Amino acid sequence: MNRGGRAVAALAVLLMLATTACTDYGGDLSGVAAAGGGDGDTVMVSETAGTPASFLAYGIREGYFEAEGLDVHVSPSSGGASVIPALLSGDIDVAGSNVVSALIAMGRRMPVEMIAAGTSTASAADDDFSALMVPADSPLREPADLDGARIAVNTLQNINDVVIHSVLSEAGLGNGDVDFVEMPLPDMPAAIERGDVDAGLLIEPFATIGRSQGLRDVARPYTATRPELQIGTYLMTSEQVAEDPERAAAFRRGVTATAEAIAADPQAFRDALPEISDLAPELAGDMHLPVWRGATDRESIETIHGLMRDIGLTDADLDYAEAVAEDG
């Protein structure tokens, strides 16, 4: 078995979910009452397993949250909307989710607010940690060729729909012109190679694995939607933010400090990944990292919301001031 094949097998066992960006919003978000926040300086966070959770683990290890007076504890999740009921019931203090799930919840009048930014993509397409990939010998060369294609996505009706819509619309197509096939990320490289699907939207580390097996890129959907697109977000209940805005601000400062440290020395973060996660050292060294910041990017939120309305994921208006808790 080659290096890429070994990595696929290992990651399939470990159920590595590389980002907050591509997780299902389809959990039961109705009928859950908010039950208040956590206990003092202790902050319980549920964040998507893989690179997003590793980001927080790195910030904890380096002392950036402790410097803000917070004792942060992280538990892994499948991300997306799956963590919102736990947040509203008071089981956790902060939910690591994605912008699409957050906006759907807000559109359903869930009392949650974005308090800090999660993962974002790079400014240049070559550094995007997502890729729409096809077999090396595929006749599909560009987005315009995708008419009628079967495209693998890890979840339906989420960020995948939004960013693929953005790519297709530039080529004069729409989501109705392709067939989405839901499958786990670890299964995608082999499924694309076998021809079970025509293409797949892969995120790291699976995009790097796919390239090692000969897959090639057709598009980079995140940066195609918007360079530096913010995909992930951290949520608190509106009640918690109102009762203790400094706690939310302290968490945001810890996120910002961690993000700035990784931006200044990404190699240190790569070196730490095998220690703070199950990621293999060779993948940690090769894959494209997400970008992290602290403050929520308004243009990203408005871009995603507009695309969600275009494809029917929400019909709610966006009240940015109500949706996002910011300093000052």
PDB file of all heavy atoms in Angstrom, residues 39-57:
ATOM      1  N   ASP A  39     -19.470  27.823  34.513  1.00  0.00           N
ATOM      2  CA  ASP A  39     -19.149  28.108  35.902  1.00  0.00           C
ATOM      3  C   ASP A  39     -17.887  28.950  35.980  1.00  0.00           C
ATOM      4  O   ASP A  39     -16.776  28.438  35.808  1.00  0.00           O
ATOM      5  CB  ASP A  39     -18.961  26.788  36.664  1.00  0.00           C
ATOM      6  CG  ASP A  39     -18.667  27.010  38.144  1.00  0.00           C
ATOM      7  OD1 ASP A  39     -18.902  28.130  38.621  1.00  0.00           O
ATOM      8  OD2 ASP A  39     -18.200  26.064  38.798  1.00  0.00           O
ATOM      9  N   GLY A  40     -18.051  30.240  36.199  1.00  0.00           N
ATOM     10  CA  GLY A  40     -16.919  31.127  36.415  1.00  0.00           C
ATOM     11  C   GLY A  40     -15.966  31.162  35.236  1.00  0.00           C
ATOM     12  O   GLY A  40     -16.363  31.383  34.101  1.00  0.00           O
ATOM     13  N   ASP A  41     -14.663  30.924  35.515  1.00  0.00           N
ATOM     14  CA  ASP A  41     -13.638  31.014  34.486  1.00  0.00           C
ATOM     15  C   ASP A  41     -13.503  29.745  33.667  1.00  0.00           C
ATOM     16  O   ASP A  41     -12.750  29.719  32.689  1.00  0.00           O
ATOM     17  CB  ASP A  41     -12.276  31.346  35.128  1.00  0.00           C
ATOM     18  CG  ASP A  41     -12.287  32.705  35.813  1.00  0.00           C
ATOM     19  OD1 ASP A  41     -13.070  33.564  35.385  1.00  0.00           O
ATOM     20  OD2 ASP A  41     -11.522  32.892  36.773  1.00  0.00           O
ATOM     21  N   THR A  42     -14.181  28.676  34.041  1.00  0.00           N
ATOM     22  CA  THR A  42     -14.128  27.437  33.280  1.00  0.00           C
ATOM     23  C   THR A  42     -15.040  27.556  32.068  1.00  0.00           C
ATOM     24  O   THR A  42     -16.204  27.937  32.183  1.00  0.00           O
ATOM     25  CB  THR A  42     -14.574  26.244  34.142  1.00  0.00           C
ATOM     26  OG1 THR A  42     -13.706  26.128  35.265  1.00  0.00           O
ATOM     27  CG2 THR A  42     -14.536  24.954  33.339  1.00  0.00           C
ATOM     28  N   VAL A  43     -14.487  27.233  30.898  1.00  0.00           N
ATOM     29  CA  VAL A  43     -15.238  27.332  29.653  1.00  0.00           C
ATOM     30  C   VAL A  43     -15.194  25.976  28.964  1.00  0.00           C
ATOM     31  O   VAL A  43     -14.130  25.501  28.568  1.00  0.00           O
ATOM     32  CB  VAL A  43     -14.657  28.416  28.718  1.00  0.00           C
ATOM     33  CG1 VAL A  43     -15.445  28.473  27.412  1.00  0.00           C
ATOM     34  CG2 VAL A  43     -14.664  29.769  29.404  1.00  0.00           C
ATOM     35  N   MET A  44     -16.354  25.344  28.834  1.00  0.00           N
ATOM     36  CA  MET A  44     -16.469  24.060  28.155  1.00  0.00           C
ATOM     37  C   MET A  44     -16.817  24.314  26.695  1.00  0.00           C
ATOM     38  O   MET A  44     -17.841  24.940  26.397  1.00  0.00           O
ATOM     39  CB  MET A  44     -17.541  23.204  28.821  1.00  0.00           C
ATOM     40  CG  MET A  44     -17.375  23.030  30.328  1.00  0.00           C
ATOM     41  SD  MET A  44     -15.784  22.290  30.790  1.00  0.00           S
ATOM     42  CE  MET A  44     -15.983  20.646  30.064  1.00  0.00           C
ATOM     43  N   VAL A  45     -15.963  23.839  25.812  1.00  0.00           N
ATOM     44  CA  VAL A  45     -16.123  24.067  24.372  1.00  0.00           C
ATOM     45  C   VAL A  45     -16.268  22.731  23.660  1.00  0.00           C
ATOM     46  O   VAL A  45     -15.501  21.798  23.917  1.00  0.00           O
ATOM     47  CB  VAL A  45     -14.917  24.823  23.779  1.00  0.00           C
ATOM     48  CG1 VAL A  45     -15.169  25.162  22.311  1.00  0.00           C
ATOM     49  CG2 VAL A  45     -14.609  26.080  24.580  1.00  0.00           C
ATOM     50  N   SER A  46     -17.221  22.635  22.773  1.00  0.00           N
ATOM     51  CA  SER A  46     -17.316  21.490  21.871  1.00  0.00           C
ATOM     52  C   SER A  46     -16.959  21.984  20.482  1.00  0.00           C
ATOM     53  O   SER A  46     -17.574  22.925  19.968  1.00  0.00           O
ATOM     54  CB  SER A  46     -18.729  20.899  21.883  1.00  0.00           C
ATOM     55  OG  SER A  46     -18.783  19.712  21.126  1.00  0.00           O
ATOM     56  N   GLU A  47     -15.928  21.375  19.890  1.00  0.00           N
ATOM     57  CA  GLU A  47     -15.424  21.823  18.592  1.00  0.00           C
ATOM     58  C   GLU A  47     -15.217  20.629  17.676  1.00  0.00           C
ATOM     59  O   GLU A  47     -14.988  19.502  18.131  1.00  0.00           O
ATOM     60  CB  GLU A  47     -14.114  22.593  18.784  1.00  0.00           C
ATOM     61  CG  GLU A  47     -13.389  23.015  17.521  1.00  0.00           C
ATOM     62  CD  GLU A  47     -14.192  23.940  16.609  1.00  0.00           C
ATOM     63  OE1 GLU A  47     -15.267  23.512  16.148  1.00  0.00           O
ATOM     64  OE2 GLU A  47     -13.708  25.058  16.338  1.00  0.00           O
ATOM     65  N   THR A  48     -15.318  20.869  16.386  1.00  0.00           N
ATOM     66  CA  THR A  48     -15.219  19.808  15.396  1.00  0.00           C
ATOM     67  C   THR A  48     -13.904  19.054  15.532  1.00  0.00           C
ATOM     68  O   THR A  48     -12.827  19.664  15.599  1.00  0.00           O
ATOM     69  CB  THR A  48     -15.330  20.391  13.977  1.00  0.00           C
ATOM     70  OG1 THR A  48     -16.520  21.177  13.895  1.00  0.00           O
ATOM     71  CG2 THR A  48     -15.380  19.273  12.948  1.00  0.00           C
ATOM     72  N   ALA A  49     -14.001  17.726  15.570  1.00  0.00           N
ATOM     73  CA  ALA A  49     -12.809  16.888  15.688  1.00  0.00           C
ATOM     74  C   ALA A  49     -11.880  17.132  14.508  1.00  0.00           C
ATOM     75  O   ALA A  49     -12.302  17.355  13.389  1.00  0.00           O
ATOM     76  CB  ALA A  49     -13.216  15.412  15.731  1.00  0.00           C
ATOM     77  N   GLY A  50     -10.586  17.089  14.777  1.00  0.00           N
ATOM     78  CA  GLY A  50      -9.597  17.311  13.736  1.00  0.00           C
ATOM     79  C   GLY A  50      -8.924  18.653  13.897  1.00  0.00           C
ATOM     80  O   GLY A  50      -8.656  19.120  15.008  1.00  0.00           O
ATOM     81  N   THR A  51      -8.644  19.324  12.775  1.00  0.00           N
ATOM     82  CA  THR A  51      -7.877  20.566  12.809  1.00  0.00           C
ATOM     83  C   THR A  51      -8.535  21.657  13.644  1.00  0.00           C
ATOM     84  O   THR A  51      -7.840  22.367  14.376  1.00  0.00           O
ATOM     85  CB  THR A  51      -7.619  21.062  11.379  1.00  0.00           C
ATOM     86  OG1 THR A  51      -7.145  19.980  10.580  1.00  0.00           O
ATOM     87  CG2 THR A  51      -6.573  22.166  11.372  1.00  0.00           C
ATOM     88  N   PRO A  52      -9.866  21.866  13.587  1.00  0.00           N
ATOM     89  CA  PRO A  52     -10.463  22.906  14.430  1.00  0.00           C
ATOM     90  C   PRO A  52     -10.218  22.672  15.925  1.00  0.00           C
ATOM     91  O   PRO A  52      -9.860  23.591  16.657  1.00  0.00           O
ATOM     92  CB  PRO A  52     -11.947  22.837  14.072  1.00  0.00           C
ATOM     93  CG  PRO A  52     -11.961  22.311  12.685  1.00  0.00           C
ATOM     94  CD  PRO A  52     -10.857  21.295  12.646  1.00  0.00           C
ATOM     95  N   ALA A  53     -10.441  21.427  16.394  1.00  0.00           N
ATOM     96  CA  ALA A  53     -10.187  21.139  17.807  1.00  0.00           C
ATOM     97  C   ALA A  53      -8.702  21.271  18.123  1.00  0.00           C
ATOM     98  O   ALA A  53      -8.330  21.705  19.223  1.00  0.00           O
ATOM     99  CB  ALA A  53     -10.688  19.735  18.148  1.00  0.00           C
ATOM    100  N   SER A  54      -7.844  20.919  17.169  1.00  0.00           N
ATOM    101  CA  SER A  54      -6.403  21.041  17.380  1.00  0.00           C
ATOM    102  C   SER A  54      -5.986  22.503  17.524  1.00  0.00           C
ATOM    103  O   SER A  54      -5.052  22.824  18.262  1.00  0.00           O
ATOM    104  CB  SER A  54      -5.639  20.396  16.222  1.00  0.00           C
ATOM    105  OG  SER A  54      -5.882  19.011  16.166  1.00  0.00           O
ATOM    106  N   PHE A  55      -6.668  23.387  16.810  1.00  0.00           N
ATOM    107  CA  PHE A  55      -6.404  24.818  16.953  1.00  0.00           C
ATOM    108  C   PHE A  55      -6.596  25.258  18.405  1.00  0.00           C
ATOM    109  O   PHE A  55      -5.726  25.924  18.996  1.00  0.00           O
ATOM    110  CB  PHE A  55      -7.335  25.606  16.025  1.00  0.00           C
ATOM    111  CG  PHE A  55      -7.369  27.081  16.294  1.00  0.00           C
ATOM    112  CD1 PHE A  55      -6.388  27.914  15.808  1.00  0.00           C
ATOM    113  CD2 PHE A  55      -8.404  27.630  17.048  1.00  0.00           C
ATOM    114  CE1 PHE A  55      -6.420  29.286  16.059  1.00  0.00           C
ATOM    115  CE2 PHE A  55      -8.454  28.999  17.302  1.00  0.00           C
ATOM    116  CZ  PHE A  55      -7.455  29.825  16.812  1.00  0.00           C
ATOM    117  N   LEU A  56      -7.725  24.876  18.995  1.00  0.00           N
ATOM    118  CA  LEU A  56      -7.966  25.245  20.385  1.00  0.00           C
ATOM    119  C   LEU A  56      -6.970  24.561  21.320  1.00  0.00           C
ATOM    120  O   LEU A  56      -6.480  25.169  22.282  1.00  0.00           O
ATOM    121  CB  LEU A  56      -9.389  24.895  20.791  1.00  0.00           C
ATOM    122  CG  LEU A  56     -10.505  25.726  20.161  1.00  0.00           C
ATOM    123  CD1 LEU A  56     -11.863  25.228  20.633  1.00  0.00           C
ATOM    124  CD2 LEU A  56     -10.339  27.202  20.478  1.00  0.00           C
ATOM    125  N   ALA A  57      -6.682  23.280  21.042  1.00  0.00           N
ATOM    126  CA  ALA A  57      -5.716  22.560  21.881  1.00  0.00           C
ATOM    127  C   ALA A  57      -4.360  23.247  21.872  1.00  0.00           C
ATOM    128  O   ALA A  57      -3.669  23.310  22.895  1.00  0.00           O
ATOM    129  CB  ALA A  57      -5.592  21.118  21.396  1.00  0.00           C
TER     130      ALA A  57
END
